[in-house]
Amino acid sequence: MNKLPKNFHLHRYGLDVRLADISDSYFILLLRTNESRSKYIHSTENDLKKQQEWMIAYKEREKEGKEFYFVFSIDGKDIGVYRLYNIVGDSFVCGSWIFSPLSPAGAGILGCIIGRELAYEDLQLNQCFTDVNEKNVSSLQFQRSFNPRVIKIEDGLIYFEHFKEQFYKIKPRFIKICMSLLKK
């Protein structure tokens, strides 16, 4: 079973990372209902009680090693989230990738990189899948930069299989660019 310590915390590439908790429900709901940030993701009802209930169920999936939801922060201020889910065997899906419009340039990409590093290194997973709305040009460009295989295109979504080796070849370029942006 895939596990991270209950009190998991990491500082990497200028970002602090921890597991999401029920107390993060309001922050997550703010991100998921922000019009500019959520136009390419599954809609979320603007209902704090429902978000808290979802988080309670998520924490059970986390205990079972089926899903991990991360909150990223800088200097104690939460700036974004990223999720690893549908973990079966050594495969996973990554998504729920939303960063605040106030987060520094490059933080969101670093969050994605950290999320995949956690999947590959800490959780010992090997097979990564994503799906991207075909209208989300910037996310598509980023995903395609890792040379994934297109699995299918359906209902406006492009489904990718990513390869671990490609991730490790390409990620240093993004880290260098994003770290220089964070320092500005």
Side-chain angles (χ1 to χ4, degrees):
M1 185 186 314
N2 307 303
K3 291 278 188 171
L4 290 174
K6 193 174 184 177
N7 61 348
F8 171 81
H9 183 268
L10 174 72
H11 181 81
R12 186 175 287 168
Y13 312 129
L15 302 178
D16 288 305
V17 188
R18 62 179 173 77
L19 290 169
D21 207 332
I22 297 157
S23 61
D24 296 306
S25 295
Y26 181 72
F27 173 66
I28 293 168
L29 190 61
L30 279 177
L31 289 175
R32 293 194 63 86
T33 57
N34 178 302
E35 279 188 43
S36 71
R37 296 300 182 180
S38 65
K39 70 177 157 182
Y40 299 120
I41 63 171
H42 300 288
S43 64
T44 299
E45 191 176 343
N46 194 353
D47 183 325
L48 182 57
K49 184 173 174 31
K50 285 184 179 178
Q51 181 66 41
Q52 290 167 330
E53 290 168 356
W54 190 93
M55 289 299 293
I56 290 167
Y58 147 71
K59 291 306 276 185
E60 290 303 312
R61 293 188 300 276
E62 178 188 285
K63 284 180 192 173
E64 296 170 5
K66 295 179 180 177
E67 186 171 332
F68 297 93
Y69 209 167
F70 301 100
V71 175
F72 294 83
S73 61
I74 294 178
D75 298 327
K77 180 161 177 52
D78 295 339
I79 59 167
V81 294
Y82 189 83
R83 190 163 62 112
L84 306 173
Y85 59 102
N86 290 349
I87 298 172
V88 179
D90 73 343
S91 73
F92 66 99
V93 176
C94 55
S96 302
W97 177 29
I98 311 171
F99 274 67
S100 163
L102 302 175
S103 63
I109 291 193
L110 289 171
C112 177
I113 288 170
I114 293 167
R116 289 189 193 180
E117 287 175 342
L118 289 168
Y120 292 137
E121 297 165 17
D122 295 70
L123 298 171
Q124 300 296 300
L125 303 172
N126 291 304
Q127 200 171 15
C128 175
F129 298 93
T130 59
D131 60 84
V132 181
N133 185 305
E134 62 188 359
K135 295 178 185 172
N136 191 346
V137 175
S138 61
S139 185
L140 279 174
Q141 287 175 330
F142 176 69
Q143 298 300 337
R144 286 184 170 140
S145 69
F146 290 96
N147 300 314
R149 179 175 73 93
V150 174
I151 298 171
K152 68 180 174 178
I153 300 172
E154 181 177 89
D155 297 326
L157 294 174
I158 303 173
Y159 294 83
F160 295 106
E161 177 183 12
H162 290 270
F163 303 99
K164 189 175 182 177
E165 305 78 31
Q166 282 299 110
F167 171 76
Y168 281 101
K169 284 180 189 174
I170 306 295
K171 82 169 187 162
R173 184 179 88 209
F174 282 110
I175 292 170
K176 184 178 178 179
I177 292 167
C178 293
M179 291 295 295
S180 69
L181 291 171
L182 278 184
K183 292 176 184 174
K184 290 183 179 182

